[in-house]
Amino acid sequence: MDDIDIDTLIENYTGIATSTIGHLTEVGYLPDIKALSLCTHTVAGKVVTVVLNSDNTEVINQVLIQAQPNDVLCIDAQVLGIKACWGALRTCAAIYEKLAGVIVIGQATDSLQIQQLGFPVFAQGVSAVTTFKSNDTKGVLGADIRYRFGAQTTLIRSGDIAIMDNDGVFVLPLEVAQQLLPDCQDKHQQDETKFRLFFDAYKNNQLDLLF
């Protein structure tokens, strides 16, 4: 892992759609995590994890301060059920701290304001019920997340790479991301060339020339 240039790896994945990755693997796909607002480009970044153990969400404020620019904050909020731990004001904080995006394994709120801000927030859903100031068990910064969907369990760790766009979210260990990259780049180029040929012919009413 020491010989992997993480910044270059992340930069390369910003040019690749999640659907391209999904042609090659299901590893690291988070099936029910979706963009809260239209995400017109691929967002990629190094993951920083937070695991909530109660509705005490103070650890989220801590990680917003400690995270580095272009990191992706991944919050395990499965313990909260229908309660949202992320909203407009925390989105403002994430923008100020220059994060690349946020993944909430759970609910978010203030969906209209988040759409207005245009910051990439991905979540399982939207809820009007939120957390409140609590002295219950604190969450843990940097802990492993076990994302559960049906029979599937995906391990998410700080230092993984998140790749996200309007079609969904992948979180990949560095080694897996490195191994997949050449095939992803080839697949992306092939599909982009085919689409561009069709689109240009379609736009110019020349589809018959393709078939």
Side-chain angles (χ1 to χ4, degrees), residues 20-137:
T20 299
I21 303 171
H23 276 291
L24 302 173
T25 186
E26 297 179 20
V27 172
Y29 178 56
L30 310 186
D32 62 342
I33 306 296
K34 304 299 179 187
L36 292 193
S37 56
L38 183 64
C39 186
T40 59
H41 63 285
T42 302
V43 177
K46 187 172 67 174
V47 169
V48 177
T49 63
V50 167
V51 175
L52 299 180
N53 294 318
S54 72
D55 56 10
N56 182 343
T57 63
E58 181 60 30
V59 68
I60 297 176
N61 298 334
Q62 291 178 251
V63 75
L64 281 168
I65 296 171
Q66 295 179 22
Q68 298 299 308
N70 301 315
D71 281 351
V72 173
L73 174 56
C74 185
I75 304 167
D76 181 353
Q78 295 173 90
V79 71
L80 297 181
I82 65 168
K83 291 183 180 180
C85 67
W86 189 271
L89 294 182
R90 280 182 167 154
T91 302
C92 291
I95 292 171
Y96 177 79
E97 298 296 343
K98 298 181 174 59
L99 299 190
V102 173
I103 302 167
V104 182
I105 303 176
Q107 309 301 308
T109 194
D110 303 330
S111 58
L112 290 179
Q113 291 91 333
I114 289 173
Q115 289 173 22
Q116 288 177 316
L117 289 166
F119 181 79
V121 176
F122 297 77
Q124 286 178 316
V126 173
S127 175
V129 181
T130 65
T131 57
F132 47 86
K133 194 168 183 63
S134 168
N135 293 318
D136 287 344
T137 306

Side-chain angles (χ1 to χ4, degrees), residues 172-192:
L172 303 175
L174 287 180
E175 298 90 340
V176 175
Q178 178 86 326
Q179 291 165 5
L180 280 174
L181 181 60
D183 289 340
C184 285
Q185 290 173 319
D186 288 346
K187 177 65 176 171
H188 170 78
Q189 188 59 53
Q190 292 167 16
D191 289 350
E192 187 67 18

